[in-house]
Coordinates of all heavy atoms in Angstrom, one line a residue:
E1 N 0.8 -1.2 0.0 CA 0.0 0.0 0.0 C 0.9 1.3 0.0 O 0.6 2.2 -0.7 CB -0.9 0.0 1.2 CG -1.9 1.1 1.2 CD -2.8 1.0 2.4 OE1 -3.3 -0.1 2.7 OE2 -3.0 2.1 3.0
L2 N 2.0 1.2 0.7 CA 2.8 2.4 0.8 C 3.5 2.7 -0.5 O 3.6 3.8 -1.0 CB 3.9 2.2 1.9 CG 4.9 3.3 2.1 CD1 4.2 4.6 2.4 CD2 5.9 3.0 3.1
S3 N 3.9 1.6 -1.2 CA 4.6 1.8 -2.5 C 3.6 2.4 -3.5 O 4.0 3.1 -4.4 CB 5.2 0.5 -3.0 OG 4.1 -0.5 -3.3
E4 N 2.3 2.0 -3.4 CA 1.3 2.6 -4.3 C 1.2 4.1 -4.1 O 1.0 4.8 -5.1 CB 0.0 1.9 -4.1 CG -1.0 2.1 -5.1 CD -0.6 1.5 -6.5 OE1 0.1 0.5 -6.6 OE2 -1.0 2.1 -7.5
S5 N 1.3 4.5 -2.9 CA 1.1 6.0 -2.6 C 2.3 6.8 -3.0 O 2.3 8.0 -3.2 CB 0.8 6.2 -1.1 OG 1.9 5.9 -0.3
L6 N 3.5 6.1 -3.2 CA 4.7 6.8 -3.5 C 4.9 7.0 -5.1 O 5.8 7.7 -5.5 CB 5.9 6.1 -2.9 CG 6.0 6.1 -1.4 CD1 7.2 5.3 -1.0 CD2 6.1 7.5 -0.9
K7 N 4.1 6.3 -5.9 CA 4.2 6.4 -7.3 C 3.9 7.8 -7.8 O 3.0 8.5 -7.2 CB 3.3 5.4 -8.0 CG 3.7 4.0 -7.9 CD 2.8 3.1 -8.6 CE 3.3 1.7 -8.5 NZ 2.4 0.7 -9.2
R8 N 4.6 8.3 -8.8 CA 4.3 9.6 -9.3 C 2.9 9.7 -9.9 O 2.5 8.8 -10.6 CB 5.3 10.0 -10.4 CG 6.7 10.2 -9.8 CD 7.7 10.7 -10.8 NE 7.1 11.9 -11.4 CZ 7.5 12.4 -12.6 NH1 8.5 11.8 -13.2 NH2 7.0 13.5 -13.0
K9 N 2.2 10.8 -9.7 CA 0.9 10.9 -10.2 C 0.7 12.3 -11.0 O 1.4 13.2 -10.7 CB -0.2 10.9 -9.1 CG -0.2 9.5 -8.4 CD -1.2 9.4 -7.4 CE -1.1 8.0 -6.8 NZ -2.1 7.8 -5.8
C10 N -0.2 12.3 -11.9 CA -0.4 13.5 -12.7 C -1.0 14.6 -11.8 O -1.9 14.3 -11.0 CB -1.4 13.2 -13.8 SG -2.0 14.6 -14.7
S11 N -0.5 15.8 -11.9 CA -0.9 16.9 -11.0 C -2.3 17.4 -11.4 O -3.0 18.0 -10.6 CB 0.1 18.0 -11.1 OG 0.2 18.5 -12.4
F12 N -2.8 17.0 -12.6 CA -4.1 17.4 -13.0 C -5.2 16.4 -12.6 O -6.3 16.7 -12.1 CB -4.2 17.6 -14.6 CG -3.3 18.7 -15.0 CD1 -2.1 18.4 -15.6 CD2 -3.8 20.0 -14.9 CE1 -1.3 19.5 -16.1 CE2 -3.0 21.0 -15.3 CZ -1.8 20.8 -15.9
C13 N -5.0 15.1 -12.8 CA -6.0 14.1 -12.6 C -5.7 13.1 -11.6 O -6.5 12.2 -11.2 CB -6.3 13.4 -14.0 SG -4.9 12.4 -14.6
R14 N -4.5 13.1 -11.0 CA -4.1 12.2 -9.9 C -4.0 10.8 -10.3 O -3.9 9.9 -9.5 CB -5.0 12.3 -8.7 CG -5.1 13.7 -8.1 CD -3.8 14.1 -7.5 NE -3.9 15.4 -6.9 CZ -3.1 16.4 -7.1 NH1 -2.1 16.3 -7.8 NH2 -3.3 17.6 -6.5
H15 N -3.9 10.5 -11.6 CA -3.7 9.1 -12.1 C -2.2 8.9 -12.3 O -1.5 9.9 -12.3 CB -4.4 8.9 -13.5 CG -5.9 8.8 -13.4 ND1 -6.7 9.8 -13.7 CD2 -6.6 7.7 -13.0 CE1 -8.0 9.4 -13.5 NE2 -7.9 8.2 -13.0
P16 N -1.8 7.7 -12.3 CA -0.3 7.4 -12.5 C 0.2 8.1 -13.8 O -0.5 8.2 -14.8 CB -0.2 5.9 -12.6 CG -1.4 5.4 -11.9 CD -2.5 6.4 -12.2
V17 N 1.4 8.6 -13.7 CA 2.1 9.3 -14.8 C 2.2 8.3 -16.0 O 2.6 7.1 -15.7 CB 3.4 9.8 -14.4 CG1 4.2 10.4 -15.6 CG2 3.3 10.9 -13.3
P18 N 1.9 8.7 -17.2 CA 2.0 7.7 -18.3 C 3.4 7.3 -18.6 O 4.3 8.1 -18.4 CB 1.4 8.5 -19.5 CG 1.4 9.9 -19.1 CD 1.4 10.0 -17.6
T19 N 3.6 6.1 -19.0 CA 4.9 5.6 -19.2 C 5.2 5.3 -20.7 O 6.4 5.2 -21.1 CB 5.1 4.2 -18.5 OG1 4.1 3.3 -18.8 CG2 5.1 4.5 -17.0
T20 N 4.2 5.2 -21.6 CA 4.5 5.0 -23.0 C 4.1 6.2 -23.8 O 3.3 7.0 -23.4 CB 3.7 3.8 -23.5 OG1 2.3 4.1 -23.4 CG2 4.0 2.5 -22.7
K21 N 4.7 6.3 -25.0 CA 4.3 7.4 -25.9 C 2.8 7.4 -26.2 O 2.2 8.5 -26.3 CB 5.2 7.3 -27.2 CG 4.8 8.3 -28.2 CD 5.9 9.2 -28.4 CE 5.7 10.1 -29.6 NZ 4.8 11.3 -29.4
A22 N 2.2 6.2 -26.4 CA 0.8 6.2 -26.7 C 0.0 6.7 -25.5 O -1.0 7.5 -25.8 CB 0.4 4.7 -27.0
E23 N 0.4 6.4 -24.3 CA -0.4 7.0 -23.1 C -0.2 8.5 -23.1 O -1.1 9.2 -22.7 CB 0.1 6.3 -21.9 CG -0.3 4.9 -21.7 CD 0.3 4.3 -20.4 OE1 1.3 4.9 -19.9 OE2 -0.1 3.2 -20.0
I24 N 1.0 9.0 -23.3 CA 1.3 10.4 -23.3 C 0.4 11.1 -24.4 O -0.2 12.2 -24.1 CB 2.8 10.7 -23.5 CG1 3.6 10.2 -22.3 CG2 3.0 12.2 -23.7 CD1 5.1 10.2 -22.5
D25 N 0.4 10.6 -25.6 CA -0.4 11.2 -26.6 C -1.8 11.2 -26.3 O -2.5 12.2 -26.6 CB -0.1 10.5 -28.0 CG 1.3 10.7 -28.5 OD1 2.0 11.6 -28.0 OD2 1.7 9.9 -29.4
A26 N -2.4 10.1 -25.7 CA -3.8 10.0 -25.4 C -4.1 11.1 -24.3 O -5.1 11.7 -24.4 CB -4.1 8.6 -24.9
N27 N -3.2 11.2 -23.3 CA -3.5 12.2 -22.3 C -3.4 13.6 -22.8 O -4.2 14.5 -22.4 CB -2.5 12.1 -21.1 CG -2.7 10.9 -20.3 OD1 -3.8 10.2 -20.4 ND2 -1.9 10.6 -19.3
T28 N -2.5 13.9 -23.7 CA -2.4 15.2 -24.3 C -3.6 15.5 -25.1 O -4.1 16.7 -25.1 CB -1.1 15.3 -25.2 OG1 0.0 15.0 -24.4 CG2 -1.0 16.7 -25.9
M29 N -4.1 14.6 -25.9 CA -5.3 14.8 -26.7 C -6.5 15.1 -25.8 O -7.3 15.9 -26.1 CB -5.6 13.6 -27.6 CG -4.6 13.4 -28.7 SD -4.5 14.9 -29.8 CE -6.0 14.9 -30.6
K30 N -6.6 14.4 -24.7 CA -7.7 14.6 -23.7 C -7.6 16.0 -23.1 O -8.6 16.7 -23.0 CB -7.6 13.5 -22.6 CG -8.7 13.5 -21.6 CD -8.5 12.4 -20.6 CE -9.6 12.4 -19.6 NZ -9.5 11.3 -18.6
R31 N -6.4 16.4 -22.8 CA -6.2 17.8 -22.3 C -6.5 18.8 -23.3 O -7.1 19.9 -23.0 CB -4.8 18.0 -21.7 CG -4.6 17.1 -20.5 CD -3.2 17.2 -20.0 NE -2.7 18.6 -19.8 CZ -1.5 18.9 -19.8 NH1 -0.5 18.0 -19.9 NH2 -1.1 20.2 -19.6
M32 N -6.2 18.6 -24.6 CA -6.5 19.5 -25.7 C -8.0 19.6 -25.9 O -8.5 20.7 -26.1 CB -5.8 19.1 -27.0 CG -4.3 19.4 -26.9 SD -3.4 18.8 -28.4 CE -4.5 19.1 -29.7
E33 N -8.7 18.5 -25.8 CA -10.1 18.6 -26.0 C -10.8 19.4 -24.8 O -11.9 19.9 -25.0 CB -10.7 17.1 -26.0 CG -10.3 16.4 -27.3 CD -10.7 14.9 -27.2 OE1 -11.2 14.5 -26.2 OE2 -10.4 14.2 -28.2
A34 N -10.1 19.4 -23.7 CA -10.7 20.2 -22.6 C -10.2 21.7 -22.6 O -10.4 22.4 -21.7 CB -10.2 19.6 -21.2
N35 N -9.5 22.0 -23.7 CA -9.0 23.4 -23.9 C -8.0 23.8 -22.9 O -8.0 24.9 -22.4 CB -10.2 24.4 -24.0 CG -10.9 24.4 -25.3 OD1 -10.3 24.1 -26.3 ND2 -12.1 24.7 -25.3
D36 N -7.1 22.9 -22.5 CA -6.0 23.2 -21.6 C -5.0 24.0 -22.4 O -4.4 23.5 -23.4 CB -5.4 21.9 -21.1 CG -4.2 22.1 -20.2 OD1 -4.0 23.3 -19.8 OD2 -3.6 21.1 -19.8
P37 N -4.7 25.2 -22.0 CA -3.8 26.1 -22.8 C -2.3 25.5 -22.8 O -1.6 25.7 -23.8 CB -3.8 27.4 -22.1 CG -4.5 27.2 -20.8 CD -5.3 26.0 -20.9
V38 N -1.9 24.8 -21.8 CA -0.6 24.2 -21.8 C -0.5 23.2 -22.8 O 0.5 23.1 -23.6 CB -0.2 23.7 -20.4 CG1 1.2 23.0 -20.4 CG2 -0.2 24.8 -19.4
A39 N -1.5 22.3 -22.9 CA -1.5 21.2 -23.9 C -1.5 21.8 -25.3 O -0.9 21.3 -26.2 CB -2.6 20.3 -23.7
L40 N -2.3 22.8 -25.5 CA -2.4 23.5 -26.8 C -1.1 24.1 -27.2 O -0.7 24.0 -28.4 CB -3.5 24.5 -26.8 CG -5.0 24.0 -26.7 CD1 -5.9 25.1 -26.3 CD2 -5.4 23.3 -27.9
R41 N -0.4 24.7 -26.3 CA 0.9 25.3 -26.5 C 1.9 24.2 -26.9 O 2.7 24.4 -27.9 CB 1.4 26.1 -25.3 CG 2.8 26.6 -25.5 CD 3.4 27.4 -24.3 NE 3.3 26.6 -23.1 CZ 4.3 25.7 -22.7 NH1 5.4 25.6 -23.4 NH2 4.2 25.1 -21.5
L42 N 1.9 23.1 -26.2 CA 2.8 22.1 -26.5 C 2.6 21.5 -27.9 O 3.5 21.2 -28.7 CB 2.7 21.0 -25.5 CG 3.3 21.3 -24.1 CD1 3.0 20.2 -23.1 CD2 4.7 21.6 -24.1
M43 N 1.3 21.4 -28.3 CA 1.0 20.9 -29.6 C 1.4 21.9 -30.7 O 1.9 21.5 -31.7 CB -0.5 20.6 -29.7 CG -0.9 20.0 -31.1 SD 0.0 18.5 -31.5 CE -0.8 17.3 -30.4
G44 N 1.2 23.2 -30.4 CA 1.7 24.2 -31.3 C 3.2 24.1 -31.5 O 3.7 24.3 -32.7
I45 N 3.9 23.9 -30.5 CA 5.4 23.8 -30.6 C 5.8 22.6 -31.4 O 6.7 22.6 -32.3 CB 6.0 23.8 -29.2 CG1 5.9 25.2 -28.5 CG2 7.5 23.5 -29.3 CD1 6.2 25.2 -27.1
Q46 N 5.1 21.5 -31.2 CA 5.4 20.3 -31.9 C 5.1 20.5 -33.4 O 5.8 20.0 -34.3 CB 4.5 19.1 -31.4 CG 5.0 18.6 -30.1 CD 4.1 17.4 -29.5 OE1 3.2 17.0 -30.2 NE2 4.4 17.0 -28.3
C47 N 4.0 21.1 -33.7 CA 3.6 21.4 -35.1 C 4.7 22.3 -35.8 O 5.1 22.1 -36.9 CB 2.3 22.1 -35.2 SG 0.9 21.1 -34.9
Y48 N 5.2 23.3 -35.0 CA 6.2 24.2 -35.5 C 7.5 23.4 -35.8 O 8.1 23.6 -36.9 CB 6.5 25.3 -34.5 CG 7.5 26.3 -34.9 CD1 7.2 27.3 -35.8 CD2 8.9 26.1 -34.5 CE1 8.2 28.2 -36.2 CE2 9.8 27.0 -34.9 CZ 9.5 28.0 -35.8 OH 10.5 28.9 -36.2
E49 N 7.9 22.5 -34.9 CA 9.1 21.8 -35.1 C 9.0 20.8 -36.3 O 10.0 20.5 -36.9 CB 9.5 21.0 -33.8 CG 9.9 21.9 -32.7 CD 10.1 21.2 -31.4 OE1 9.7 20.1 -31.2 OE2 10.6 21.9 -30.5
R50 N 7.8 20.4 -36.6 CA 7.6 19.5 -37.8 C 7.5 20.3 -39.1 O 7.4 19.7 -40.1 CB 6.3 18.7 -37.6 CG 6.4 17.5 -36.6 CD 5.2 16.6 -36.7 NE 3.9 17.3 -36.8 CZ 3.1 17.4 -35.8 NH1 3.3 16.8 -34.6 NH2 1.9 18.1 -35.9
G51 N 7.4 21.6 -39.0 CA 7.2 22.4 -40.2 C 5.8 22.7 -40.5 O 5.6 23.3 -41.6
D52 N 4.9 22.4 -39.7 CA 3.4 22.7 -39.9 C 3.1 24.0 -39.3 O 2.6 24.1 -38.2 CB 2.6 21.6 -39.3 CG 1.1 21.8 -39.5 OD1 0.7 22.7 -40.2 OD2 0.3 21.1 -38.8
F53 N 3.5 25.1 -40.0 CA 3.3 26.4 -39.4 C 1.9 26.9 -39.3 O 1.6 27.6 -38.4 CB 4.1 27.4 -40.3 CG 5.6 27.0 -40.3 CD1 6.2 26.7 -41.6 CD2 6.4 27.0 -39.2 CE1 7.5 26.3 -41.6 CE2 7.7 26.6 -39.3 CZ 8.3 26.3 -40.5
R54 N 1.0 26.4 -40.2 CA -0.4 26.8 -40.1 C -1.0 26.2 -38.8 O -1.7 26.8 -38.1 CB -1.2 26.3 -41.3 CG -2.6 26.7 -41.3 CD -3.3 26.2 -42.6 NE -2.6 26.7 -43.8 CZ -2.9 27.8 -44.5 NH1 -3.9 28.5 -44.1 NH2 -2.3 28.1 -45.5
G55 N -0.7 24.9 -38.6 CA -1.2 24.2 -37.4 C -0.6 24.8 -36.1 O -1.3 25.0 -35.1
A56 N 0.7 25.2 -36.2 CA 1.3 25.8 -35.0 C 0.6 27.1 -34.7 O 0.4 27.4 -33.5 CB 2.8 26.0 -35.3
S57 N 0.4 27.9 -35.7 CA -0.3 29.2 -35.5 C -1.7 29.0 -34.9 O -2.1 29.8 -34.0 CB -0.4 29.9 -36.9 OG -1.1 31.1 -36.7
E58 N -2.4 28.0 -35.4 CA -3.8 27.8 -34.8 C -3.7 27.4 -33.4 O -4.5 27.9 -32.5 CB -4.5 26.7 -35.7 CG -4.9 27.2 -37.0 CD -5.5 26.1 -37.9 OE1 -5.8 25.0 -37.4 OE2 -5.6 26.3 -39.1
Y59 N -2.9 26.4 -33.0 CA -2.8 26.0 -31.6 C -2.3 27.0 -30.7 O -2.8 27.3 -29.6 CB -1.9 24.7 -31.5 CG -2.6 23.4 -32.0 CD1 -2.1 22.8 -33.1 CD2 -3.7 23.0 -31.4 CE1 -2.7 21.6 -33.6 CE2 -4.4 21.8 -31.9 CZ -3.8 21.1 -33.0 OH -4.4 20.0 -33.4
L60 N -1.2 27.7 -31.2 CA -0.6 28.8 -30.3 C -1.6 30.0 -30.1 O -1.7 30.5 -29.1 CB 0.7 29.3 -30.9 CG 1.8 28.2 -30.8 CD1 3.0 28.7 -31.6 CD2 2.2 28.0 -29.4
S61 N -2.3 30.3 -31.2 CA -3.3 31.4 -31.1 C -4.4 31.0 -30.1 O -4.9 31.8 -29.3 CB -3.9 31.7 -32.4 OG -3.0 32.2 -33.3
K62 N -4.9 29.8 -30.1 CA -5.9 29.3 -29.2 C -5.4 29.4 -27.8 O -6.1 29.8 -26.9 CB -6.4 27.9 -29.6 CG -7.6 27.5 -28.8 CD -8.3 26.3 -29.4 CE -9.6 26.0 -28.7 NZ -10.3 24.8 -29.3
A63 N -4.2 28.9 -27.6 CA -3.6 28.9 -26.2 C -3.4 30.3 -25.7 O -3.6 30.6 -24.6 CB -2.3 28.2 -26.2
T64 N -3.0 31.2 -26.7 CA -2.9 32.6 -26.3 C -4.2 33.2 -25.9 O -4.3 34.0 -24.9 CB -2.3 33.4 -27.5 OG1 -1.0 32.9 -27.8 CG2 -2.2 34.9 -27.2
G65 N -5.2 32.9 -26.6 CA -6.6 33.4 -26.3 C -7.0 32.9 -24.9 O -7.9 33.5 -24.3
L66 N -6.5 31.8 -24.5 CA -6.9 31.2 -23.1 C -5.9 31.7 -22.1 O -6.0 31.3 -20.9 CB -6.8 29.7 -23.2 CG -7.9 29.1 -24.1 CD1 -7.7 27.6 -24.3 CD2 -9.3 29.3 -23.5
G67 N -5.0 32.7 -22.4 CA -4.2 33.3 -21.4 C -2.8 32.8 -21.2 O -2.2 33.1 -20.2
N68 N -2.3 31.9 -22.1 CA -1.0 31.3 -21.9 C 0.1 32.3 -22.4 O 0.2 32.5 -23.6 CB -0.9 30.0 -22.5 CG 0.3 29.2 -22.2 OD1 1.4 29.6 -22.7 ND2 0.2 28.2 -21.4
A69 N 0.8 32.9 -21.5 CA 1.9 33.8 -22.0 C 3.0 33.2 -22.8 O 3.5 33.8 -23.7 CB 2.4 34.5 -20.7
D70 N 3.3 31.9 -22.4 CA 4.4 31.2 -23.2 C 4.0 31.0 -24.6 O 4.8 31.1 -25.6 CB 4.7 29.9 -22.6 CG 5.5 30.1 -21.3 OD1 6.2 31.1 -21.1 OD2 5.4 29.2 -20.4
A71 N 2.7 30.7 -24.8 CA 2.2 30.5 -26.2 C 2.2 31.9 -27.0 O 2.6 31.9 -28.2 CB 0.7 30.0 -26.2
H72 N 2.0 33.0 -26.3 CA 2.1 34.3 -26.9 C 3.5 34.5 -27.4 O 3.8 35.0 -28.5 CB 1.6 35.3 -25.9 CG 1.3 36.7 -26.6 ND1 2.2 37.7 -26.5 CD2 0.3 37.1 -27.2 CE1 1.7 38.7 -27.2 NE2 0.5 38.4 -27.6
Y73 N 4.5 34.2 -26.5 CA 5.9 34.3 -26.9 C 6.2 33.5 -28.1 O 6.9 34.0 -29.0 CB 6.8 33.9 -25.7 CG 8.2 33.8 -26.0 CD1 9.0 34.9 -26.2 CD2 8.8 32.5 -26.2 CE1 10.3 34.8 -26.6 CE2 10.1 32.4 -26.6 CZ 10.9 33.5 -26.8 OH 12.2 33.4 -27.1
H74 N 5.8 32.2 -28.1 CA 6.2 31.4 -29.2 C 5.5 31.8 -30.5 O 6.1 31.8 -31.6 CB 5.8 29.9 -28.9 CG 6.7 29.2 -27.9 ND1 8.0 28.9 -28.3 CD2 6.5 28.9 -26.7 CE1 8.6 28.3 -27.2 NE2 7.7 28.4 -26.2
L75 N 4.3 32.3 -30.4 CA 3.6 32.9 -31.6 C 4.3 34.1 -32.1 O 4.5 34.2 -33.3 CB 2.1 33.2 -31.2 CG 1.2 33.6 -32.3 CD1 1.0 32.4 -33.3 CD2 -0.1 34.0 -31.7
S76 N 4.8 34.9 -31.2 CA 5.6 36.1 -31.7 C 6.9 35.7 -32.4 O 7.3 36.3 -33.3 CB 5.8 37.0 -30.5 OG 6.8 36.5 -29.6
Q77 N 7.5 34.6 -31.9 CA 8.7 34.1 -32.5 C 8.5 33.6 -33.9 O 9.4 33.7 -34.8 CB 9.4 33.1 -31.6 CG 9.9 33.5 -30.3 CD 10.9 34.6 -30.5 OE1 12.0 34.4 -31.2 NE2 10.7 35.8 -29.9
M78 N 7.3 33.2 -34.2 CA 7.0 32.7 -35.5 C 7.0 33.8 -36.5 O 7.3 33.6 -37.7 CB 5.6 32.0 -35.6 CG 5.6 30.6 -34.9 SD 4.0 29.9 -35.0 CE 3.8 29.7 -36.8
Y79 N 6.7 35.0 -36.1 CA 6.6 36.2 -37.0 C 7.9 37.0 -37.0 O 8.1 38.0 -37.7 CB 5.5 37.1 -36.5 CG 4.2 36.5 -36.8 CD1 3.4 36.0 -35.8 CD2 3.6 36.5 -38.1 CE1 2.2 35.4 -36.0 CE2 2.4 36.0 -38.3 CZ 1.7 35.4 -37.3 OH 0.5 34.9 -37.5
W80 N 8.9 36.6 -36.3 CA 10.2 37.3 -36.2 C 11.0 37.1 -37.4 O 11.2 36.5 -38.3 CB 11.0 36.8 -35.0 CG 12.3 37.4 -34.9 CD1 13.5 36.9 -35.2 CD2 12.6 38.8 -34.5 NE1 14.5 37.8 -34.9 CE2 14.0 39.0 -34.5 CE3 11.8 39.8 -34.1 CZ2 14.6 40.1 -34.2 CZ3 12.4 41.0 -33.8 CH2 13.8 41.2 -33.8

């Protein structure tokens, strides 16, 4: 029982931290559907790194509209 309480847990949902890429992607999509600005910013950065500038602009703009200052910074860097 003690070892179960010492496992790392998500600060948002208190479930165990995902260990596989598929679990991470599923959690990120779930957070994006809930309009989590941090998840939207992370997706925008991923799109930018892949060269999908239109997608990056959309995700970063949405995160900016939800008040994420880091997304605003990354969006401004796209126009630099």
Side-chain angles (χ1 to χ4, degrees):
E1 184 177 318
L2 181 60
S3 65
E4 194 63 33
S5 67
L6 295 177
K7 289 184 178 176
R8 290 188 55 201
K9 297 184 179 182
C10 174
S11 58
F12 294 103
C13 64
R14 304 289 185 231
H15 286 103
V17 175
T19 56
T20 65
K21 175 112 171 81
E23 289 176 344
I24 293 170
D25 291 343
N27 285 355
T28 301
M29 291 304 291
K30 185 176 179 181
R31 289 175 54 202
M32 285 176 35
E33 290 171 0
N35 283 330
D36 178 9
V38 175
L40 292 167
R41 175 182 55 87
L42 291 174
M43 183 57 72
I45 292 169
Q46 288 177 4
C47 287
Y48 179 81
E49 290 173 349
R50 286 191 311 255
D52 177 12
F53 303 116
R54 184 180 305 265
S57 175
E58 290 174 10
Y59 285 118
L60 291 171
S61 294
K62 189 167 186 179
T64 298
L66 294 170
N68 189 288
D70 288 333
H72 195 260
Y73 167 77
H74 287 287
L75 190 62
S76 72
Q77 292 300 304
M78 287 180 62
Y79 290 101
W80 178 253

